[in-house]
Amino acid sequence: MKKVPARREGLVKVVLKSGKDQSVMRYHPWLFSGAIKKVYGDPAEGDLVEIFDNKETLLGTGHYSPGSIAIRILSFGKNPVDDGFFAGMVRKAVEYRRNLGFNPSSGTSMFRLIHGEGDGLPGLIADYYNGTVVTQFHSAGMYRSRNTIADAIVENGLFPVHSVYDKSMATLPGAASPVNENAFLRGISDNPVEIEENNLRFRIDIIGGQKTGFFIDQRDNRKLASNFSAGKTLLNLFSYTGGFSVYAMKNAALVHSVDSSAPASALARENIILNYGNTPNHEAIEADAFEYLGGTQGRYDMMILDPPAFAKHNSVLGNALQGYKRLNMKAIEAIRPGGIIFTFSCSQVVSRENFRKSVFAAAANTGRRVRILHQMGQPADHPVNIYHPESEYLKGLVLHVE
Ligand code: SAH
């Protein structure tokens, strides 16, 4: 095979197999290793590479990685990926949120600022917590540009940012991870931070908490749940720091928050007190959700089921679907007649259709009459790239059980 030098200095050239350029032509940002005919050089994990079809046409530029997703494409066509590229994409992501009406002084001062592929920046998540931004890098290539990205976030000109905390220790790919501690990239902030969402107050542990500190993606669904919770006896399973519970406490008769994590349960208690003071109408219980659910026959008339992703890879999809079926079956069995269930899946590999089928199978096993009242998804600050169906990860159903 004749070696052809890369066209841009320093960038390795990757040529695709004949007919394997279809996904790139359709703007899918992931290129799988099976599509590659030849790599002209020896790129390191995180290097920028150029992608060509087998007729020498430049199709795009992306970050190389030795795994099954071999290239995460940043730019389609001839546009170069340089510091200006990153700053421009960050600015676009920020403007998009501003145009959607996000505004830190509106009563909702936390939202997702950058949502990976949904914002054309595969491998980068950034959440805005009223002036503190928490980043999570999922690719070594994106991590290399962290300083450019942090500067662009601080200097965005639309939302005030006083600190950027990077929390990529757990998200960067294992062995190649250049990160051995989470750290502030810019400035410093208090922790926990206190933030508002729909005028409700939350204390958020950005450093010790899960993900970037809060599950911002459930904002609209929490609000929807509060339309159903008036007068209800509600069980919030997998409650984390009490997101759904704080909303439901506006009008519910009784709320029980169940989570297996002690620090999450402690923060759930604090968040209820922060909004409602000491109240006998809420209890945070540290327990396994499946076990707890087993002993609740007829006790609750509303339930929230928001488990962690049961499947992180396609290889365990079958088990995950069984997990959703088992959880939903127990809930549908146990809820009082006329009860409402908010049930979710945040597994990227579980499609909306597969999730519905699992819940359908669960309902059929109980023999109860079940109706779907709403189909839920992720909010506009977690946009789905239409060319990358995988970015639609959050799906949920509101069920009415007779
Ligand atoms: N609904 C929450 C987010 C839930 S995240 C919100 O709106 O903020 C999933 C939660 O499930 C995590 O807090 C995790 O600690 C908890 N969890 C994981 N496995 C569990 C189990 N077996 N039993 C109870 N909780 C569990």
Side-chain angles (χ1 to χ4, degrees), residues 210-231:
Q210 299 180 29
K211 305 277 177 167
T212 66
F214 200 63
F215 291 86
I216 299 177
D217 54 0
Q218 289 285 27
R219 181 182 54 243
D220 293 354
N221 302 328
R222 286 191 275 261
K223 193 167 181 190
L224 181 65
S226 70
N227 294 344
F228 286 88
S229 54

Side-chain angles (χ1 to χ4, degrees), residues 310-311 313-325 349-350 358:
F310 284 161
H313 299 285
N314 248 320
S315 55
V316 287
L317 178 61
N319 291 346
L321 295 177
Q322 281 303 317
Y324 290 118
K325 183 178 159 192
V349 297
V350 173
S358 298

Side-chain angles (χ1 to χ4, degrees), residues 210 215 218 222 238-240 243-244 259-261 287-289 306-308:
Q210 299 180 29
F215 291 86
Q218 289 285 27
R222 286 191 275 261
F238 308 95
S239 48
Y240 188 51
F244 280 94
D259 201 284
S260 56
S261 152
D288 176 80
D306 185 21

